[in-house]
Amino acid sequence: MTYITVSEFLTRAGDHVPRDANGDPDTTRIEAAIEDAAGVIRAYLPELLADDGTPIAPPARLEGVLRSISLDLALFSIFDATTGGEDVLAKRHAASMRMLSELGGGMDAYQSDAVEAAIVEGSATWIRGEEPEV
């Protein structure tokens, strides 16, 4: 289970879509980065795993947050490996990791009214109580 689809990635990534040798979206790299992002999210949020380790769907209130975090983590994974990371992507990655750390205290403790969304280049980067560095 992942928290963003390849189609959503392509729609939201803008100019940051990795391309293959033919100039088409490199869906193999995108899929791998999305899977890796899901693994990072579940490492921080073990509540997203059943007792047997099977991924489960997140609560509806977190779907948008996890979609945005997945995009940021996947983009950073792709571009960090190929270019050393772009500054904006590195900042979005750091903000997403901070949010996961906040959520890692337990999804039941998550207070949606305490979280502010900052729109960064078409993607929501979620940070509790602070503005993102852009």
Side-chain angles (χ1 to χ4, degrees), residues 18-31:
R19 304 283 175 183
D20 63 18
N22 297 323
D24 297 321
D26 190 343
T27 56
T28 301
R29 286 179 54 211
I30 294 168
E31 288 169 353

Side-chain angles (χ1 to χ4, degrees), residues 36-113:
D36 290 348
V40 170
I41 289 169
R42 287 191 294 270
Y44 275 83
L45 302 174
E47 298 93 337
L48 295 175
L49 293 172
D51 290 339
D52 66 358
T54 304
I56 58 174
R61 70 180 189 273
L62 292 181
E63 288 176 357
V65 173
L66 295 180
R67 186 177 307 109
S68 294
I69 289 172
S70 292
L71 174 66
D72 292 342
L73 296 179
L75 282 169
F76 185 77
S77 173
I78 290 167
F79 287 98
D80 186 51
T82 59
T83 66
E86 294 185 28
D87 196 40
V88 169
L89 297 179
K91 289 176 183 177
R92 286 171 45 174
H93 175 266
S96 291
M97 294 304 294
R98 283 193 304 270
M99 183 60 185
L100 280 174
S101 291
E102 293 272 336
L103 290 173
M107 288 192 298
D108 292 335
Y110 172 69
Q111 300 293 320
S112 61
D113 58 342

